[in-house]
């Protein structure tokens, strides 16, 4: 099986807007746009559109620009279609996340709509480890990591897998034969991670690869104590 990471270099609303472009962050932390795209390439998103690919409904204002809605879960997108009035040719289109984020210019931002069940999982994990964490509030698309998992790339390269579903993380831990006392599940927002990658504001995401929902088969995931800081 080809190595899926061969092209990666080693160098109150539950949805969040993502804008294009990047900031002028520290060059030492920089990942190229190509490297960032490689990390995100397998994440699918779903949009309600008509046959001419115009966004319909599901549009909100962000300053003087409009935001297009993209769902991380196809059933959620289909359910949204059933609940609104739309043209007869309206249907759900699927795309890759990298196809809807502009890494060069400054387009209208998009809004990613997370799976509600994963938002609930993120809140539960946050409440376990953060005193006073507000019940029912997690802004963004949840991303789950364990401090004990790595995935092997080419040669000696190692990466930290980041999961869009908590159940995928749990399966990966079980497959890697991680001990029951296997550390804390870390939770972050996908939008924040992408923005920090683009802004070059930190190096902490430089070795992260994203695992699409339900797609852990064939990955060389291993248990290794103490990978996250």
């Amino acid at each position: 099986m080809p190595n899926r990471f061969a092209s990666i270099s080693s160098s109150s609303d539950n949805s969040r807007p993502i804008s294009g472009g990047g900031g002028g962050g520290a060059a030492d932390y920089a990942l190229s746009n190509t490297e960032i795209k490689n990390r995100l390439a397998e994440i699918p998103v779903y949009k309600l559109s008509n046959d001419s690919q115009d966004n319909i409904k599901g549009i909100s204002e962000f300053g003087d620009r409009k935001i297009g809605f993209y769902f991380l879960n196809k059933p959620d997108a289909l359910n949204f279609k059933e609940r609104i009035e739309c043209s007869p040719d309206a249907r759900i289109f699927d795309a890759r996340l990298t196809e809807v984020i502009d890494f060069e210019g400054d387009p209208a931002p998009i809004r990613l709509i997370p799976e509600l069940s994963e938002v609930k999982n993120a809140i539960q994990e946050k409440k376990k480890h953060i005193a006073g964490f507000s019940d029912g509030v997690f802004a963004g698309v949840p991303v789950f990591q364990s401090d004990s998992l790595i995935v092997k790339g080419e040669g000696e390269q190692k990466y930290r897998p980041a999961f869009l579903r908590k159940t995928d993380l749990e399966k990966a831990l079980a497959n890697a034969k991680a001990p029951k006392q296997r550390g804390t599940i870390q939770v972050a927002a996908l939008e924040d991670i992408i923005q920090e990658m683009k802004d070059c504001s930190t190096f902490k995401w430089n070795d992260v690869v994203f695992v699409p929902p339900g797609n852990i088969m064939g990955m060389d995931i291993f248990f290794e104590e103490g990978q996250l800081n």
Side-chain angles (χ1 to χ4, degrees):
M1 179 178 294
N3 192 307
R4 63 197 295 182
F5 304 123
S7 61
I8 295 178
S9 168
S10 57
S11 57
S12 349
D13 181 355
N14 286 329
S15 60
R16 296 277 293 279
I18 299 178
S19 57
D28 289 345
Y29 303 150
L31 287 175
S32 70
N33 287 338
T34 299
E35 289 170 332
I36 297 173
K37 289 178 182 179
N38 285 338
R39 308 295 174 94
L40 302 168
E42 296 188 51
I43 298 178
V45 292
Y46 305 92
K47 176 182 71 168
L48 175 62
S49 292
N50 54 29
D51 287 336
S52 61
Q53 289 284 291
D54 297 323
N55 279 307
I56 55 176
K57 299 291 185 180
I59 299 293
S60 63
E61 297 297 325
F62 183 72
D64 58 351
R65 297 180 292 177
K66 291 184 177 181
I67 302 175
F69 286 179
Y70 290 86
F71 294 82
L72 270 290
N73 184 305
K74 190 170 185 177
D76 288 344
L78 291 168
N79 182 57
F80 178 74
K81 178 179 179 292
E82 296 299 318
R83 291 190 291 108
I84 66 170
E85 294 182 7
C86 52
S87 61
D89 66 342
R91 59 193 180 95
I92 303 300
F93 291 84
D94 62 285
R96 297 298 176 185
L97 182 58
T98 48
E99 296 172 11
V100 301
I101 298 178
D102 191 307
F103 288 85
E104 306 292 344
D106 188 25
I110 67 172
R111 190 177 293 275
L112 302 178
I113 310 299
E115 295 185 53
L116 180 59
S117 60
E118 300 310 321
V119 173
K120 292 178 179 178
N121 286 334
I123 291 170
Q124 289 174 355
E125 291 301 322
K126 287 284 190 180
K127 288 173 67 177
K128 288 179 184 177
H129 309 293
I130 300 177
F133 183 80
S134 299
D135 190 11
V137 178
F138 183 91
V141 175
V143 173
F144 303 90
Q145 286 184 282
S146 168
D147 58 2
S148 57
L149 288 181
I150 61 166
V151 59
K152 291 187 178 180
E154 284 194 330
E156 299 299 317
Q157 293 177 345
K158 296 179 181 180
Y159 303 97
R160 296 181 295 139
F163 302 84
L164 296 176
R165 287 181 180 163
K166 183 184 174 186
T167 54
D168 287 342
L169 169 59
E170 292 170 338
K171 289 177 183 177
L173 286 165
N175 292 345
K177 296 180 171 57
K180 291 184 178 181
Q181 300 300 323
R182 55 200 179 196
T184 301
I185 292 179
Q186 312 285 332
V187 184
L190 177 63
E191 296 87 338
D192 291 340
I193 297 172
I194 294 172
Q195 200 65 51
E196 289 182 8
M197 282 180 164
K198 293 196 298 181
D199 291 345
C200 311
S201 58
T202 177
F203 63 86
K204 69 180 180 179
W205 304 115
N206 284 16
D207 62 349
V208 164
V209 290
F210 295 93
V211 181
N215 192 14
I216 68 169
M217 298 302 295
M219 296 182 65
D220 292 327
I221 299 178
F222 298 88
F223 172 78
E224 191 166 294
E225 191 66 58
Q227 288 300 302
L228 295 183
N229 294 325

